[in-house]
Amino acid sequence: YLDDGITCPYLHKSKMLELSMIFRAYYSPEELISFFFPAVRYTHEFELFVMNNYLKMKGVKEFVDLSGMNLSTFNRKFKTHFNQSPYQWLIKQKSKHIYHELSTTNKSLATIARDFHFADASHFNRYCKAMFGASPSKIRENILNGKRA
């Protein structure tokens, strides 16, 4: 699904629940703990911090300030956990959420722009053209006509 660009959060959640059910059905709690603990022990706290806060952040500086780390430590730790710079990752996540909002909701373009901290409509328009190759209204029009950006 990920390789094919399917970004439906409902599908991902249902698959996550399915996998969880399979684990619980076929493995004891002790087996699951011994299997997952080495991976979770070292990554869980930082990744949880990132996932709980990234939608609230306007940029990397705000993220670094919230973490209480210095910039180089935050960047190094981020690259270790997410395999890319915080800036690149934030842009990618923001793009996914914006595209999802444009394609699955009836929110006004102004509301979406405000929700994602764009200064004005023209800034949001330029962003969408750069990231998706079309204006927000054109993206919606293409989706209604069955085309993907």
Side-chain angles (χ1 to χ4, degrees), residues 47-61:
E47 289 178 11
L48 187 61
F49 165 76
V50 169
M51 298 310 287
N52 283 336
N53 292 294
Y54 80 92
L55 284 174
K56 302 170 204 162
M57 299 298 115
K58 293 179 184 175
V60 176
K61 169 119 176 58

Side-chain angles (χ1 to χ4, degrees), residues 136-148:
S137 56
K138 187 69 175 168
I139 292 168
R140 279 209 166 141
E141 180 184 320
N142 288 343
I143 289 166
L144 289 174
N145 295 328
K147 300 174 190 173
R148 287 184 60 103

Side-chain angles (χ1 to χ4, degrees), residues 11-149:
L11 176 65
H12 291 194
K13 185 171 183 161
S14 68
K15 289 300 177 183
M16 185 176 64
L17 291 171
E18 178 185 10
L19 185 59
S20 175
M21 296 286 288
I22 291 169
F23 282 148
R24 287 194 310 250
Y26 292 101
Y27 298 97
S28 71
E30 293 80 18
E31 289 172 315
L32 291 173
I33 289 169
S34 66
F35 180 75
F36 286 111
F37 185 72
V40 173
R41 179 179 67 193
Y42 295 110
T43 62
H44 183 68
E45 189 176 322
F46 183 74
E47 289 178 11
L48 187 61
F49 165 76
V50 169
M51 298 310 287
N52 283 336
N53 292 294
Y54 80 92
L55 284 174
K56 302 170 204 162
M57 299 298 115
K58 293 179 184 175
V60 176
K61 169 119 176 58
E62 193 176 341
F63 225 153
V64 171
D65 292 344
L66 183 65
S67 75
M69 299 176 199
N70 67 41
L71 180 61
S72 62
T73 301
F74 184 84
N75 283 336
R76 185 177 61 253
K77 196 166 194 172
F78 200 97
K79 285 179 186 176
T80 300
H81 290 277
F82 295 95
N83 296 319
Q84 56 189 319
S85 75
Y87 177 77
Q88 292 168 327
W89 188 88
L90 282 171
I91 293 296
K92 187 176 180 181
Q93 298 309 309
K94 184 177 186 178
S95 296
K96 285 180 188 179
H97 286 284
I98 289 170
Y99 190 83
H100 182 279
E101 292 287 307
L102 289 170
S103 61
T104 63
T105 70
N106 290 324
K107 287 182 181 179
S108 72
L109 299 179
T111 299
I112 295 171
R114 190 174 38 257
D115 289 349
F116 288 94
H117 311 292
F118 287 95
D120 53 41
S122 65
H123 183 212
F124 182 52
N125 196 37
R126 286 191 310 273
Y127 178 89
C128 288
K129 284 181 179 178
M131 296 306 291
F132 309 120
S135 68
S137 56
K138 187 69 175 168
I139 292 168
R140 279 209 166 141
E141 180 184 320
N142 288 343
I143 289 166
L144 289 174
N145 295 328
K147 300 174 190 173
R148 287 184 60 103

